[in-house]
Amino acid sequence: MKLSEVTLSHHYADLGDAFGTRIEPTPFQHPKLIHVNPAVLQLLGINKSEAQNPDWAQLGCGQKLFPGSRPFAMKYTGHQFGVYNPDLGDGRALLLGELENGGRRWELHLKGAGKTPYSRFGDGRAVLRSTIREYLAGEALTGLGIRSTRALSIVGSDEPVVREQIESGAMLIRVAETHVRFGHFEYFFYTKQLQALQQLIDFICRRFVTDATELPVGDQAEALLRFTTRRSAELVAGWQAVGFAHGVLNTDNMSIIGDTFDYGPYGFLDDYEPTFICNHSDHTGRYAFEQQPGVVLWNLNALAHAFSAFVSVEALRDCLEEFQPQLIDAYAAQMRRKLGLQTAEDGDQALCADLLQLLTDASADYTLFFRALAHYRGERPPAALRELMPPAQHDALERWLDHYDQRLAREHSDSRERNRAMLAANPKFVLRNYLAQKVIDAAAEGDYRPLQTMIELLQKPYDEHPQHETWAVAPPESGKHMPVSCSS
Ligand code: AMP
Ligand code: MG
């Protein structure tokens, strides 16, 4: 379809006044179109050639609305760093409406669109830096096969926005099958709006848990909790397997359908460091990389509590007990793929744990190590792998490789085939922080070419892209542990 043919519907806003506030965006005066994502256009059923349409500058900053659009700020609450906050909601983003394509519905959400009744002390804006980071992260995780919201467009402006320093404002259209968070359910539960809570459970079940559609609310809530538990277990297994740290796993940043949602000070691991904390205001490491599985379960507990209006505690506990085995299974399956194992053996978990311990001791680059392992054919000395760690670890590396060789021999692994499969499971390119910063610095100077290159690499992270070798190397020492501000 052409851009001019797009008409949005607005089922979420139609749920009623209890769900949020109808409000118009505050557009930029001088919008500057920075990027339109052809891959997302395709998802929406809009012709890719429409990426060139100049109307995006206005559509992407609220100067012009899509036909049928009914901008709406959603109300939600949530637990932030373990503490319930009743004052949350779309403080700077508006649900514009939704579009159906090929049986799937996609919501468009304009982030940075100005103040709403839920802005508290905020200015309702987003900055170019955080907008680019969100855009890149959506492509990075999608490219790695992990569920994520994505961005359709970025529009910049000359509007100054005050953060630690003065930055320029930007807006992003975020696309997701739903923007409903755990915190939406918590809001209705804690304010005792049980009719609205029931309505929301029914709304989400009709879209995503269709076999629960006709059930009574208690059974719907239980089915939904099972669904979200499974999706969340798969999600966090994916993060742990690729080395992604979200940074702010509050319940208002948790999608009910298990998308990676609300990007802030996230980070991909460079060196393998389980205690990695990407959010510099997370002083206790609540959201450190290795804490993520436990924190996601904590968040599921908070969601389950909101469902206790309709479901017995025993039944809720039953659902939550599925999390751990699902997480372990999903993570084990992904690590087997990364290691090129076709069968499952009892000792695999130990083999994997030993490797991760070695990488931790050696401060080895996580992505580079696995990519090099994808080329391994039993050579001694293992030169390409040795290069990635200090000499003090070389003996431990060879001891681990001996076990790995024995394991491969037991399943008669063919090295050529294994290498091919492993190259499709271990990315060459990940969204390292120093690379994101390089892209942002160039964009701030008006040069969007690095942004374009990064997007292309992240969309196909397993391909070689030989002309872009410099994007696949470990960061310089100064590029590790770059402070990432949580202001956005
Ligand atoms: P976040 O930290 O982005 O997950 O946001 C937490 C809460 O603060 C949400 O209710 C946001 O809508 C709100 N918020 C964040 N930044 C702003 C801003 N610049 N203006 C208004 N509200 C904001
Ligand atoms: Mg948030």
Side-chain angles (χ1 to χ4, degrees):
M1 119 181 96
K2 292 193 200 146
L3 182 56
S4 58
E5 291 164 345
V6 169
T7 307
L8 302 186
S9 51
H10 33 73
H11 293 98
Y12 193 82
D14 285 346
L15 286 173
D17 295 342
F19 289 79
T21 306
R22 174 95 175 74
I23 185 169
E24 297 300 312
T26 311
F28 290 140
Q29 293 305 315
H30 306 289
K32 188 167 58 175
L33 182 60
I34 293 181
H35 200 84
V36 177
N37 191 341
V40 173
L41 286 178
Q42 207 168 17
L43 215 57
L44 300 176
I46 303 172
N47 303 341
K48 272 184 165 181
S49 57
E50 292 285 8
Q52 312 308 324
N53 195 315
D55 283 357
W56 285 114
Q58 288 176 295
L59 288 166
C61 82
Q63 234 182 43
K64 190 169 163 182
L65 292 176
F66 295 95
S69 174
R70 212 175 151 197
F72 190 78
M74 294 190 282
K75 174 60 190 170
Y76 54 83
T77 60
H79 280 82
Q80 298 183 307
F81 288 88
V83 179
Y84 184 67
N85 184 342
D87 290 328
L88 303 174
D90 284 338
R92 54 166 164 176
L94 297 173
L95 197 57
L96 298 176
E98 69 184 43
L99 199 57
E100 192 174 340
N101 180 39
R104 288 172 93 183
R105 292 166 194 270
W106 298 99
E107 289 179 350
L108 308 190
H109 199 238
L110 184 62
K111 192 163 178 178
K115 287 187 190 171
T116 78
Y118 316 116
S119 300
R120 296 181 292 166
F121 309 108
D123 54 13
R125 291 304 195 204
V127 297
L128 181 63
R129 165 179 54 84
S130 66
T131 304
I132 289 178
R133 282 178 55 87
E134 173 144 5
Y135 191 113
L136 292 176
E139 295 315 288
L141 287 171
T142 303
L144 293 167
I146 297 173
R147 292 189 64 95
S148 174
T149 64
R150 293 179 80 175
L152 170 59
S153 60
I154 300 182
V155 169
S157 76
D158 53 9
E159 194 178 297
V161 173
V162 182
R163 296 293 182 258
E164 284 92 346
Q165 62 241 6
I166 295 185
E167 302 188 42
S168 59
M171 290 191 213
L172 167 140
I173 299 181
R174 177 164 64 187
V175 174
E177 287 183 277
T178 180
H179 283 77
V180 171
R181 310 151 188 252
F182 289 13
H184 280 85
F185 298 90
E186 295 182 273
Y187 166 60
F188 291 121
F189 175 74
Y190 285 105
T191 54
K192 302 191 167 62
Q193 300 183 68
L194 298 190
Q195 176 60 39
L197 179 58
Q198 179 166 353
Q199 220 185 325
L200 185 60
I201 291 169
D202 182 67
F203 178 79
I204 294 295
C205 282
R206 280 180 194 282
R207 295 204 165 185
F208 304 104
V209 197
T210 46
D211 49 356
T213 301
E214 300 306 328
L215 302 178
V217 61
D219 296 334
Q220 276 191 329
E222 197 180 322
L224 176 54
L225 184 60
R226 261 181 227 288
F227 166 82
T228 305
T229 298
R230 181 173 51 75
R231 284 272 178 103
S232 304
E234 288 166 0
L235 180 68
V236 72
W239 292 345
Q240 302 311 110
V242 300
F244 174 79
H246 180 286
V248 200
L249 284 176
N250 294 331
T251 57
D252 58 304
N253 292 338
M254 294 284 300
S255 148
I256 196 69
I257 57 170
D259 282 349
T260 315
F261 196 91
D262 253 11
Y263 292 99
Y266 66 82
F268 280 84
L269 296 181
D270 294 307
D271 295 349
Y272 186 73
E273 189 187 341
T275 54
F276 174 64
I277 302 166
C278 55
N279 177 357
H280 281 243
S281 30
D282 181 5
H283 303 295
T284 61
R286 179 180 172 90
Y287 299 141
F289 175 69
E290 66 183 351
Q291 299 298 325
Q292 295 189 122
V295 158
V296 167
L297 179 58
W298 193 97
N299 290 340
L300 285 163
N301 264 283
L303 176 67
H305 190 60
F307 289 170
S308 67
F310 304 121
V311 186
S312 73
V313 173
E314 293 72 38
L316 293 172
R317 202 172 285 144
D318 250 26
C319 296
L320 295 177
E321 274 173 8
E322 293 175 7
F323 178 78
Q324 195 177 350
Q326 285 168 344
L327 168 73
I328 290 171
D329 280 359
Y331 181 70
Q334 300 204 39
M335 294 313 282
R336 272 196 199 95
R337 277 193 71 221
K338 286 179 80 69
L339 289 168
L341 302 177
Q342 289 177 312
T343 56
E345 276 189 14
D346 286 346
D348 291 348
Q349 205 181 340
L351 186 74
C352 182
D354 289 348
L355 175 60
L356 295 180
Q357 187 59 53
L358 169 65
L359 298 184
T360 310
D361 296 342
S363 298
D365 188 277
Y366 185 67
T367 304
L368 292 185
F369 183 88
F370 274 98
R371 187 72 178 183
L373 192 67
H375 291 286
Y376 173 70
R377 293 195 175 177
E379 54 274 8
R380 289 291 188 282
L385 296 169
R386 271 188 172 190
E387 254 177 42
L388 297 169
M389 49 187 72
Q393 305 297 333
H394 289 179
D395 285 348
L397 170 66
E398 289 192 33
R399 277 198 301 279
W400 183 81
L401 286 172
D402 289 342
H403 289 149
Y404 182 51
D405 287 344
Q406 289 159 15
R407 173 67 182 86
L408 294 175
R410 282 200 295 280
E411 65 176 34
H412 310 291
S413 187
D414 173 81
S415 52
R416 190 183 298 254
E417 260 176 45
R418 184 182 69 247
N419 286 171
R420 191 155 31 80
M422 286 173 75
L423 288 170
N426 293 292
K428 177 167 177 178
F429 299 92
V430 288
L431 180 52
R432 298 173 187 276
N433 237 343
Y434 86 107
L435 294 176
Q437 196 54 49
K438 200 164 110 170
V439 168
I440 290 164
D441 292 344
E445 300 292 320
D447 177 5
Y448 306 128
R449 287 169 305 178
L451 174 66
Q452 183 60 40
T453 303
M454 187 88 254
I455 291 168
E456 284 164 19
L457 298 176
L458 296 176
Q459 288 178 342
K460 288 190 160 54
Y462 303 103
D463 292 0
E464 284 297 328
H465 303 279
Q467 72 280 31
H468 293 304
E469 286 300 329
T470 54
W471 295 74
V473 298
E477 222 31 60
S478 61
K480 291 180 184 173
H481 301 114
M482 288 170 70
V484 181
S485 159
C486 59
S487 74
S488 55

